[in-house]
Amino acid sequence: MKNFLIYGSNGYTGELIARYAAERGLKPILAGRNAGKIEALAKRFEMPFRIFTLEDKEKTDAALQEVEFVLHCAGPFSLTSEKMVEACLRTKRHYLDITGEISVFEAMAVRDKAAKDAGIMIMPGVGFDVVPSDCLAKYLKNRLPSATNLTLAFYGLGRISHGTQATMTMNIGKGGAVRKNGEIASVPAAYKTREINFGEVKKTGVTIPWGDVSTAFYSTGIPNIEVYTVIPEAQLKLLKLSRYLGWILATSPIQSILQKQIPNGGPSDEEREKGKTFLWGCASDDEGNKAEALQFGMEGYTMTALTALKISEKILDGNFCTGFQTPAKCYGADLILEIEGIRRENVD
């Protein structure tokens, strides 16, 4: 029987994916380095488990050889993904993760040939970042094949997890990023702001280095990309302040203090049930033509579990594309519409 491995399954998102997998009758192997938490989780869901660190190549390879692929959920992925993807290349097993970090997407893109030679798919970003936005980007490109500019924005109603906050805190001093003429360009934090009509609500968005700055280019070929999100005014001020104090915020002593202040866990089931996500996108070309659309869905962590498992089920059925892939590049713009509760509509 074909199966997969969830590494980092004791983290907030990994555990949520394991729970949703159990509800679907799946029995993935749960794995990580925390023996107590992994064993307890495996017992709760009646799933097999393995305990190993990514530094232990022998145990990592042995675990991967039992499955078709790994769903890597142990972040920050800029620190963990390289070891896991190297193991996948050694064992010729597919690699998925739930990252949102541009540096990880770009590092994976470089491994395209190695993945094709190994006959495997490397697909980072199978969660809320970047499945829904990647599909929206591809949809807009399909509507306007001549597009040279892409603007995406998202607004999420809900609380973020410890892991997400830890990654954001780690990157606080690194500024922003956009794509210009096909290349990723560094820009100041909170580089631009603009009002965005999400259909049900209008909000002021600010540019952030969201994963689509990397992935949407591979999915669509559009050379100029900006991504916006909506954040509280206090956080916007902190972002702008980081332009001048970023180097201090990035130092080890300050990072240590900031990381210790992050609360554990993530949103409760009740909070996730109440959460929503709104996406807006616009593609335009040099002649002034444009295509604009909205996308509506459930809370982000719930969506991550659903999209990660949807792609996992496709691979188990033998449906995959070798090499470095983005969700929409391999599975098309309508992949997100396979998730019940997702709605998309044209603006123009």
Side-chain angles (χ1 to χ4, degrees):
M1 178 180 175
K2 292 183 177 181
N3 204 358
F4 64 105
L5 183 141
I6 303 176
Y7 189 81
S9 52
N10 58 298
Y12 177 81
T13 308
E15 181 176 343
L16 185 62
I17 293 172
R19 193 207 311 178
Y20 276 48
E23 292 174 0
R24 284 159 174 70
L26 300 171
K27 296 288 184 181
I29 297 175
L30 306 184
R33 60 185 183 179
N34 190 315
K37 290 184 178 180
I38 296 293
E39 288 184 35
L41 199 64
K43 183 177 181 180
R44 174 182 165 195
F45 295 130
E46 298 182 339
M47 293 176 178
F49 68 92
R50 302 289 181 269
I51 307 299
F52 59 92
T53 68
L54 297 180
E55 286 70 32
D56 191 329
K57 291 185 179 181
E58 186 175 343
K59 286 187 177 180
T60 302
D61 290 2
L64 288 175
Q65 286 166 351
E66 297 183 69
V67 297
E68 298 295 310
F69 64 94
V70 62
L71 174 51
H72 184 50
C73 298
F77 296 92
S78 57
L79 303 179
T80 66
S81 59
E82 183 178 359
K83 290 185 176 67
M84 182 60 86
V85 81
E86 285 292 344
C88 287
L89 289 168
R90 287 195 303 269
T91 57
K92 298 185 178 181
R93 297 298 188 265
H94 306 297
Y95 173 93
L96 307 179
D97 72 28
I98 53 171
T99 192
E101 298 169 76
I102 290 176
S103 62
V104 176
F105 289 118
E106 290 298 296
M108 296 298 176
V110 172
R111 298 175 185 271
D112 178 57
K113 184 180 185 301
K116 287 177 179 175
D117 290 345
I120 67 170
M121 179 168 75
I122 292 178
M123 184 182 284
V126 299
F128 178 66
D129 192 3
V130 294
V131 177
S133 47
D134 194 50
C135 289
L136 182 59
K138 184 70 172 177
Y139 175 72
L140 293 168
K141 171 65 174 182
N142 290 345
R143 287 186 58 206
L144 186 67
S146 59
T148 53
N149 298 278
L150 174 67
T151 307
L152 298 169
F154 68 95
Y155 173 43
L157 296 177
R159 189 160 62 90
I160 62 177
S161 74
H162 176 276
T164 302
Q165 290 187 69
T167 300
M168 290 171 63
T169 299
M170 186 178 71
N171 293 322
I172 195 169
K174 297 183 178 179
V178 298
R179 193 177 281 274
K180 294 181 179 180
N181 300 318
E183 301 294 330
I184 294 175
S186 296
V187 295
Y191 172 57
K192 291 183 182 178
T193 59
R194 61 174 292 169
E195 186 178 80
I196 299 162
N197 187 345
F198 289 100
E200 296 181 16
V201 63
K202 290 183 179 180
K203 291 285 183 178
T204 298
V206 58
T207 48
I208 60 164
W210 186 254
D212 296 274
V213 172
S214 170
T215 57
F217 176 71
Y218 298 108
S219 304
T220 68
I222 297 175
N224 302 294
I225 302 169
E226 293 181 352
V227 185
Y228 291 76
T229 192
V230 178
I231 61 175
E233 185 63 29
Q235 285 185 298
L236 179 57
K237 289 180 180 178
L238 180 61
L239 271 180
K240 290 181 177 180
L241 185 63
S242 73
R243 297 176 183 175
Y244 312 102
L245 299 178
W247 65 274
I248 296 176
L249 296 172
T251 61
S252 295
I254 299 299
Q255 278 290 310
S256 179
I257 294 170
L258 293 174
Q259 293 287 347
K260 288 177 181 178
Q261 294 177 346
I262 299 172
N264 289 322
S268 66
D269 288 353
E270 184 179 1
E271 288 172 323
R272 287 191 301 101
E273 185 66 29
K274 293 178 180 178
K276 294 180 180 180
T277 56
F278 303 85
L279 276 81
W280 167 87
C282 180
S284 61
D285 65 15
D286 295 335
E287 304 300 318
N289 302 303
K290 72 173 186 176
E292 192 174 344
L294 295 166
Q295 204 164 273
F296 307 90
M298 65 288 294
E299 183 272 344
Y301 291 101
T302 301
M303 194 183 298
T304 289
L306 294 174
T307 56
L309 287 173
K310 172 61 69 174
I311 292 171
S312 294
E313 289 170 338
K314 288 181 180 294
I315 298 174
L316 291 174
D317 288 339
N319 183 0
F320 60 87
C321 310
T322 58
F324 165 75
Q325 298 291 333
T326 70
K329 183 182 178 185
C330 180
Y331 296 115
D334 290 343
L335 168 67
I336 192 64
L337 300 183
E338 296 180 32
I339 306 298
E340 186 177 356
I342 304 293
R343 179 168 58 91
R344 187 171 63 203
E345 62 184 48
N346 293 333
V347 173
D348 50 333

